[in-house]
Amino acid sequence: MTPALYDTLASPASQREQFRAGEIPVAVYGLGKMGLPLAAVYAEHTGAVTGVDIDERVVERVNAGDSPVQGEPGLDGLVDSLAADGALTATIDAGDAARDAAIHVVVVPTLIDDANDPDLSAVEAVVDEIATGLLPGDLVVLESTLPPRATADVIHPMLVERSDLAAGTFGVAVCPERTSSGRALADIRGTHPKVVGGVDAESGRVAELVYDELVDNEIVRVDDATTAEAVKVFEGLYRDVNIALANDLARLTDEFGVDVREAIDAANTQPYCEIHTPGPGVGGHCIPYYPYFVLNWLDVDVPMLSTARGVNDAMPAFVVDRVADGLAATDSVDDVVGVPDGGATASDSAPDAALADATVAVLGLTYRAGIRETRASPGIDICAELTDRGATVLAADPLVDAAGLAATDVSVAELPERAPDAVVLATAHEAFDAVDWAAMPPAVVVDGRDVLDLSTTEHRQYTVGRGWS
């Protein structure tokens, strides 16, 4: 009989030994860019992990020792060795995995629907499968980011109802991932403290015991599952609101006549000030979505969150406005310092007309440099905004193509011969260091990431947070 972790007379020391010896099988549901590294870390400590994914190709590759998740240092070799040792296997049959496991780790995404309402369908589908194999003493771990109270109000009652087990006979804990793409293994192993919170005290104890074996950093055990959910959501809310402040300040560059980035850097030398960095918008699978885990999930009014979302969502249009202003200013560089053409703005006809006749190259479609992820990417929104205003759009990105966009893919080497009227740098990929700006005809260049210095060229440059130069 498989040893249990929850509600057992076994000593913590013996439980730890059983866990390390692989006597307590683990199932990890979701083998995506966060799930596969997590499954690998569990497997290197226990030697008894089954990964579950709905994609047969993912399962086949993992079983062959071939990581389907790329761009994660150390993951390729780790998956290869774990699969060869039998420590990590994969299946599409979640029910079978659930029946064999005593620890069930859920790391599938919580989605947002078209109305920006949190959609728990992916998590609920996994939980439904887990319930078919749940036994007394099992532990269900939710690493997925969830709206506060989702576990207490939805997930735990669902497990009780569909497993026919009484509450208090199995454990449920929220242990949210705190992982960034490109450094997943390091983050899982302990870049940050690990937060755990159970639906009851025993669930919290068992989750703390498990993660104390996996994580080199400290374990922060909070009072309950809802608190653990809130911790992860609050982290994202803090960043979204802080970035919105930085972006709002960046929009004041021309009004104040100051370099806002320089002012932010100087302000941050005061230890109580930590203003983030402005940019062309906020992308990725986390920060743009977590505000809706409060705004559209709970019955509360949080105006700061909705305002911050509006500010950050408006940055791609702000960037395009600067492109339009630059194209409309025809007399001299001075015309585009502050308000161009004697008071014209991008909402006036002259900038819009100039933009409608322009070819604009957008550099960067992924939301972050070096990461193949396009969810909520500012670069994609900038392409869409340019298209809506009638511009012809070229798109360059070393990791993805422009499929689905009204844009033409171009390479870095092609840019000079394409002779765009304007260029927007939306993502600071290293590949863009090779752009031959000197060979390109004079253009309006809007730098959303503060990485370009075109002062020795004839290009007219605007940097978000610094203004025209």
Side-chain angles (χ1 to χ4, degrees):
M1 182 176 179
T2 301
L5 285 177
Y6 181 93
D7 192 26
T8 175
L9 296 177
S11 69
S14 65
Q15 288 182 314
R16 291 176 183 276
E17 182 57 35
Q18 290 166 341
F19 179 72
R20 288 193 294 262
E23 297 174 15
I24 302 174
V26 179
V28 176
Y29 304 85
L31 296 177
K33 61 184 181 180
M34 301 301 169
L36 182 57
L38 181 63
V41 171
Y42 263 96
E44 69 179 346
H45 284 81
T46 72
V49 173
T50 300
V52 182
D53 202 275
I54 60 174
D55 190 330
E56 291 187 9
R57 294 168 298 179
V58 168
V59 168
E60 290 172 358
R61 290 184 65 177
V62 171
N63 284 330
D66 177 21
S67 172
V69 176
Q70 299 300 305
E72 291 294 347
L75 186 60
D76 287 348
L78 184 58
V79 169
D80 184 29
S81 63
L82 292 170
D85 292 342
L88 175 63
T89 61
T91 181
I92 61 170
D93 194 328
D96 274 356
R99 284 184 283 277
D100 291 340
I103 299 176
H104 312 266
V105 185
V106 181
V107 61
V108 296
T110 302
L111 306 173
I112 295 291
D113 65 18
D114 292 339
N116 288 329
D117 292 328
D119 177 4
L120 299 184
S121 59
V123 176
E124 289 178 348
V126 170
V127 168
D128 195 36
E129 293 284 359
I130 291 172
T132 66
L134 198 63
L135 294 174
D138 282 5
L139 173 68
V140 178
V141 175
L142 297 157
E143 285 242 359
S144 302
T145 304
L146 297 166
R149 295 210 58 80
T151 299
D153 292 349
V154 179
I155 303 303
H156 189 218
M158 184 178 176
L159 285 166
V160 170
E161 177 185 355
R162 301 190 183 183
S163 69
D164 289 329
L165 296 177
T169 60
F170 62 91
V172 179
V174 173
C175 309
E177 57 88 6
R178 307 177 93 185
T179 309
S180 295
S181 296
R183 58 187 196 209
L185 287 177
D187 285 351
I188 292 166
R189 288 166 175 157
T191 302
H192 315 289
K194 185 67 176 179
V195 175
V196 305
V199 296
D200 52 37
E202 177 66 0
S203 296
R205 180 196 71 82
V206 174
E208 184 176 12
L209 182 147
V210 168
Y211 279 95
D212 194 45
E213 292 297 313
L214 300 182
V215 175
D216 295 332
N217 212 317
E218 67 176 307
I219 308 300
V220 178
R221 181 176 166 188
V222 295
D223 281 347
D224 53 32
T226 301
T227 303
E229 290 166 337
V231 168
K232 178 59 187 291
V233 173
F234 286 2
E235 293 171 5
L237 299 184
Y238 165 77
R239 294 181 65 192
D240 197 44
V241 171
N242 197 316
I243 294 169
L245 171 61
N247 284 335
D248 244 2
L249 297 177
R251 296 162 68 96
L252 298 175
T253 295
D254 298 328
E255 182 75 19
F256 286 169
V258 302
D259 184 327
V260 167
R261 288 178 182 264
E262 180 185 13
I264 288 174
D265 289 342
N268 285 347
T269 62
Q270 210 274 4
Y272 302 110
C273 187
E274 191 178 347
I275 304 172
H276 284 8
T277 304
V282 178
H285 62 281
C286 298
I287 298 176
Y289 300 98
Y290 292 170
Y292 300 112
F293 287 13
V294 174
L295 294 169
N296 292 0
W297 177 262
L298 304 174
D299 187 20
V300 293
D301 182 20
V302 191
M304 182 178 291
L305 301 186
S306 56
T307 299
R309 261 304 64 228
V311 169
N312 289 333
D313 282 345
M315 287 307 293
F318 173 81
V319 167
V320 174
D321 287 346
R322 301 291 75 74
V323 173
D325 287 345
L327 291 172
T330 57
D331 294 336
S332 69
V333 174
D334 290 338
D335 290 328
V336 294
V337 176
V339 181
D341 294 337
T345 68
S347 61
D348 295 320
S349 59
D352 281 348
L355 191 58
D357 294 332
T359 295
V360 183
V362 177
L363 307 186
L365 299 179
T366 67
Y367 88 95
R368 184 172 140 210
I371 302 298
R372 191 189 299 270
E373 170 65 74
T374 60
R375 289 186 68 186
S377 171
I380 289 177
D381 289 341
I382 289 167
C383 287
E385 183 76 17
L386 287 165
T387 299
D388 288 346
R389 299 199 199 181
T392 299
V393 181
L394 310 176
D397 194 289
L399 300 179
V400 299
D401 60 33
L405 300 176
T408 301
D409 281 307
V410 296
S411 67
V412 167
E414 289 180 85
L415 284 171
E417 64 187 71
R418 291 281 190 161
D421 301 294
V423 180
V424 175
L425 190 140
T427 312
H429 289 301
E430 288 186 8
F432 298 146
D433 293 344
V435 173
D436 190 349
W437 296 101
M440 196 181 304
V444 172
V445 179
V446 177
D447 178 3
R449 301 295 181 180
D450 189 30
V451 295
L452 300 176
D453 180 3
L454 304 181
S455 58
T456 61
T457 73
E458 296 184 29
H459 301 298
R460 180 175 292 170
Q461 180 178 346
Y462 184 94
T463 301
V464 173
R466 296 196 191 278
W468 293 101
S469 58

